[in-house]
Amino acid sequence: MTEPIVPVSAVDALSHRPGDGGPGERASDGNRPGAGESAGPSLAGASRSARLAGDQSAVGQPAARQPAARQAGAQRAIVESDRDFSLPALVSQLHLDELLREVQDRLEDVVSTRDRLHGLLEAVLAIGSDLELRVVLRRIVEAAIALVDARYGALGVINSDGRQLSDFIHVGVDSATIDAIGHVPEGRGILGLLIAHPEPLRLVDISGHPASHGFPANHPVMQTFLGVPIRVRDEVFGNLYLTEKRGGGAFTAEDEGIVLALAAAAGVAIENARLYDETRQRERWLEATAEITTALLSGTDPGEVLCLIAQRARELARADVAVLALTSADGRSLIFEVVDGKHSDRLRGTVVSTSDSLAGEVYTTGKAVVVEDVTADPRVRGPLGEAADLGPAMYVPLSSRERTIGVLAVTNRAGGRFFRARDVRLLEAFAGQAALALELAEAQRDSDRLAVFQDRDRIARDLHDLVIQRLFATGMLLEGASRLIVRPEALDRVRRAVDDLDETIREIRSTIFALQAPQHPDDVGVRSRILAVIDAVTTSLPFAPSVRLDGAIDSLVPDDVAEHLLATLREVLTNAVRHSGATTLDIEVEAGQEVSLTVCDNGAGIGDTTRRSGLCNIAHRAEELGGKCLVDSAPDAGTRITWRVPMN
């Protein structure tokens, strides 16, 4: 009977160590393994040999001739040897698989990092390939979304005071949703936290942060968040916001590092775009200045040039309203002469004081001022401060050669773009050049007027020294010859000729005074004002009245006397036109040691009417000035009114 084979347990196999002398492992002292060797491998080799031989035992004898006990022991030894060899190898194989999987994971990470770095480089090239600032900002947001696989992204530009957002470029939200929300963020809540503390911020749940203010109605659902600041020359330009990582996961530290690297490159691209934009803006301002200077020096009407200044200022400052305010004659107020843009009809003609208004402060100090909201600043007076739809504004003086002639102001709509320091510098330079051009144009007009006045003076001298003297000499000859004339008819003719010569001399003298009168449109002389009153009142007459102006009326008649003179002339002419029914009307004004006004008509006369309030008024005016008023009238014989007052 053969000996049964006893199975070896897994515990025995795992606890068996080579050389312990277990079953099938007994060896004589002479066959004991040497130092550093074990019996396990030899037995394993024997087992492998037995399997290869098939019908051979471990010692080379046929299996059929071996005793059953020895055959069972050999089989048991083979089983123990095989188990003793395969389990440690299996453990080692498992360790190797883990190492291979770890290497594979790390290789995948390396490939992913390489791809992301490649994407980052492509993004840097993309945002630096354009110099339009608005385009660059949008490309930055699009690149950030692609790099971290976010659903929504935005870039908020911080305003000049560093407390709110002046611009907000968003990607991922459609225009219909934006319209439903109603307004772009202003920099509160989480966005305001990044403005106050410009450091990277990662959130798993936006609503769970203490600084969160929630979302407005119709806003898309957003949970995960990653925000990093964008710096330009150590100045925080704005912040880059990313939300809703695709796949539902949170943003990782690696995402943060990638976006920080993009933000650093974006700062350089933004600076380049800003420099390019500033250069183009300067070119536009210079072109506008050249256009205004050319218009002024070519003789264009100053009013049209002022409109051009306001229009170009509004366009180049990218504003909604431009106001050009000029100082009044007394220098105590500013008048909104030209308004371009919104509310132009409402704002034009506004008068503000130079002592208690923002425009007056800029005019007095000669320094530019920027305000965040014109409706909230108590210094902004008049309709401009009451316009609820206007907000940021900047005021600059119109100054040249230490002389300020007015103020140029531009304003944006409420919630619109804030004006930065570079905007102020450009508008100041433009205003200074415009003021200089206005001053040069005024100097040119003064020079032209001076040339005209000099020419008129020459003509007046020639008329006085040549024509009048010759006429006077001719009159004297005729006067002397009249004594020699015997026939009455001839004598009468000579005397009439002498009278005509005297009248001609007086008319020439009046022409000389008219040539020497001021011609500036803002400095209308008394002579011109007298003629204007006569034209206005006698327009309805079927005939032209006779007008005679004698003496240096413009230079001799004081302003207060001139006001009374004009009022008297208007009253007398009105009565003559309405009530006299005259067919002739003679008007004479003479200035010498006293000024006299004589109006004579051939009408029906004043009559016995008891209503003489007009005549009483003109008589009272003459008495106030130390003069007198004489009225000579008869029925159907006309009326003669003489109003005479001293110059002093």
Side-chain angles (χ1 to χ4, degrees):
M1 176 179 300
T2 60
E3 183 178 355
I5 299 174
V6 180
V8 181
S9 66
V11 176
D12 294 335
L14 291 174
S15 62
H16 170 72
R17 287 176 293 183
D20 286 346
E25 226 178 45
R26 296 185 182 275
S28 61
D29 293 338
N31 296 328
R32 189 178 301 275
E37 295 179 345
S38 65
S42 297
L43 191 56
S47 173
R48 286 194 297 273
S49 298
R51 286 196 300 271
L52 290 173
D55 58 345
Q56 297 291 326
S57 64
V59 291
Q61 299 296 326
R65 296 180 182 179
Q66 294 184 18
R70 294 185 62 186
Q71 185 177 0
Q75 291 178 356
R76 186 166 54 251
I78 291 172
V79 173
E80 292 177 355
S81 175
D82 286 344
R83 291 185 179 180
D84 181 60
F85 170 76
S86 61
L87 287 176
L90 181 60
V91 173
S92 300
Q93 183 67 33
L94 291 175
H95 290 168
L96 181 60
D97 290 343
E98 291 178 0
L99 290 175
L100 288 175
R101 281 194 298 270
E102 184 177 354
V103 170
Q104 184 178 2
D105 291 341
R106 292 190 178 184
L107 287 175
E108 291 176 355
D109 291 342
V110 170
V111 172
S112 176
T113 302
R114 182 202 64 182
D115 293 341
R116 299 190 79 175
L117 289 176
H118 184 68
L120 176 61
L121 291 175
E122 290 182 346
V124 171
L125 292 176
I127 64 177
S129 62
D130 203 298
L131 291 175
E132 289 289 344
L133 183 58
R134 191 79 182 181
V135 176
V136 170
L137 297 179
R138 185 169 186 84
R139 286 185 177 178
I140 291 171
V141 181
E142 292 172 346
I145 287 177
L147 286 173
V148 300
D149 202 19
R151 186 180 300 274
Y152 306 108
L155 195 154
V157 181
I158 301 176
N159 63 12
S160 56
D161 65 0
R163 292 181 294 179
Q164 289 185 332
L165 298 177
S166 61
D167 200 359
F168 195 79
I169 297 92
H170 53 82
V171 175
V173 181
D174 55 47
S175 58
T177 304
I178 293 296
D179 295 338
I181 293 173
H183 62 87
V184 297
E186 299 177 355
R188 299 183 176 89
I190 299 296
L191 306 188
L193 179 64
L194 268 175
I195 295 174
H197 304 284
E199 299 294 337
L201 178 64
R202 278 188 295 131
L203 299 176
V204 177
D205 186 5
I206 298 176
S207 60
H209 195 279
S212 176
H213 285 184
F215 296 99
N218 303 312
H219 196 282
V221 177
M222 296 182 181
Q223 187 172 6
T224 56
F225 176 85
L226 172 60
V228 298
I230 297 178
R231 288 182 168 84
V232 177
R233 290 187 177 181
D234 297 329
E235 173 190 354
V236 178
F237 173 82
N239 294 308
L240 186 58
Y241 312 111
L242 302 164
T243 61
E244 288 302 289
K245 187 176 179 68
R246 296 183 187 275
F251 292 103
T252 64
E254 185 178 355
D255 294 333
E256 180 181 320
I258 288 289
V259 176
L260 280 173
L262 178 66
V268 177
I270 290 172
E271 177 64 11
N272 292 337
R274 286 173 62 179
L275 292 174
Y276 175 73
D277 185 62
E278 288 183 10
T279 302
R280 292 189 61 187
Q281 279 292 96
R282 289 192 184 96
E283 291 178 356
R284 295 190 188 102
W285 285 111
L286 290 175
E287 291 173 358
T289 302
E291 180 184 8
I292 291 167
T293 303
T294 302
L296 282 170
L297 298 183
S298 62
T300 305
D301 182 72
E304 296 181 9
V305 177
L306 293 177
C307 293
L308 182 62
I309 291 174
Q311 179 183 355
R312 292 293 180 265
R314 182 186 60 81
E315 293 173 350
L316 296 176
R318 300 166 187 170
D320 295 304
V321 181
V323 176
L324 186 61
L326 300 179
T327 181
S328 60
D330 57 7
R332 289 185 288 185
S333 59
L334 289 167
I335 305 171
F336 289 10
E337 295 285 355
V338 180
V339 181
D340 187 77
K342 297 177 63 176
H343 308 302
S344 57
D345 294 336
R346 178 183 175 189
L347 297 176
R348 188 181 297 111
T350 301
V351 179
V352 296
S353 173
T354 57
S355 59
D356 61 352
S357 65
L358 180 58
E361 177 184 329
V362 174
Y363 172 78
T364 304
T365 62
K367 296 181 180 180
V369 174
V370 178
V371 295
E372 295 182 5
D373 188 356
V374 292
T375 61
D377 196 315
R379 298 172 297 175
V380 181
R381 306 286 184 177
L384 185 61
E386 299 169 358
D389 57 345
L390 297 180
M394 61 176 170
Y395 290 66
V396 298
L398 279 169
S399 302
S400 66
R401 299 181 182 179
E402 300 182 354
R403 178 193 173 200
T404 303
I405 62 175
V407 173
L408 179 60
V410 292
T411 306
N412 273 336
R413 58 179 175 79
R417 185 177 69 91
F418 286 85
F419 295 106
R420 294 176 174 268
R422 69 184 182 94
D423 298 320
V424 177
R425 291 194 300 270
L426 290 173
L427 188 62
E428 277 185 319
F430 174 76
Q433 293 294 326
L436 180 60
L438 288 171
E439 190 172 339
L440 290 175
E442 184 179 356
Q444 184 180 21
R445 289 193 297 271
D446 290 342
S447 178
D448 294 341
R449 282 196 297 267
L450 180 60
V452 172
F453 291 157
Q454 289 175 343
D455 195 37
R456 290 182 176 182
D457 287 342
R458 179 186 58 79
I459 295 173
R461 286 194 303 270
D462 291 344
L463 288 174
H464 182 272
D465 297 340
L466 299 177
V467 178
I468 289 181
Q469 295 300 328
R470 288 183 181 181
L471 290 175
F472 184 75
T474 302
M476 293 296 293
L477 289 175
L478 291 175
E479 284 283 351
S482 64
R483 298 187 183 93
L484 304 176
I485 298 175
V486 178
R487 295 180 59 182
E489 297 85 356
L491 180 62
D492 185 58
R493 289 183 180 182
V494 169
R495 287 177 177 175
R496 285 201 302 270
V498 171
D499 292 339
D500 290 340
L501 287 175
D502 291 339
E503 181 66 22
T504 302
I505 290 173
R506 283 194 294 269
E507 291 179 357
I508 292 175
R509 289 181 63 194
S510 178
T511 302
I512 292 172
F513 291 134
L515 288 172
Q516 295 175 335
Q519 298 296 319
H520 194 284
D522 295 332
D523 188 15
V524 180
V526 179
R527 181 186 297 269
S528 299
R529 295 164 69 185
I530 290 173
L531 294 175
V533 170
I534 294 173
D535 289 339
V537 177
T538 62
T539 303
S540 60
L541 290 177
F543 60 90
S546 172
V547 181
R548 177 182 173 185
L549 305 178
D550 193 9
I553 297 175
D554 287 322
S555 58
L556 293 179
V557 179
D559 291 338
D560 57 341
V561 174
E563 294 298 331
H564 289 285
L565 172 65
L566 294 171
T568 299
L569 176 62
R570 184 176 290 104
E571 177 68 25
V572 173
L573 290 179
T574 300
N575 290 334
V577 170
R578 290 180 178 178
H579 308 298
S580 70
T583 58
T584 62
L585 182 62
D586 298 325
I587 305 166
E588 181 178 351
V589 179
E590 184 177 359
Q593 292 184 349
E594 61 181 10
V595 59
S596 64
L597 167 65
T598 302
V599 178
C600 183
D601 65 69
N602 64 347
I606 296 177
D608 296 331
T609 177
T610 58
R611 297 185 59 184
R612 297 191 177 188
S613 58
L615 295 176
C616 293
N617 288 336
I618 63 176
H620 182 65
R621 289 179 183 276
E623 292 173 358
E624 281 186 354
L625 298 175
K628 57 183 178 179
C629 178
L630 302 177
V631 179
D632 185 11
S633 178
D636 298 326
T639 302
R640 181 184 183 88
I641 297 177
T642 303
W643 187 87
R644 182 180 290 111
V645 297
M647 289 297 185
N648 57 0

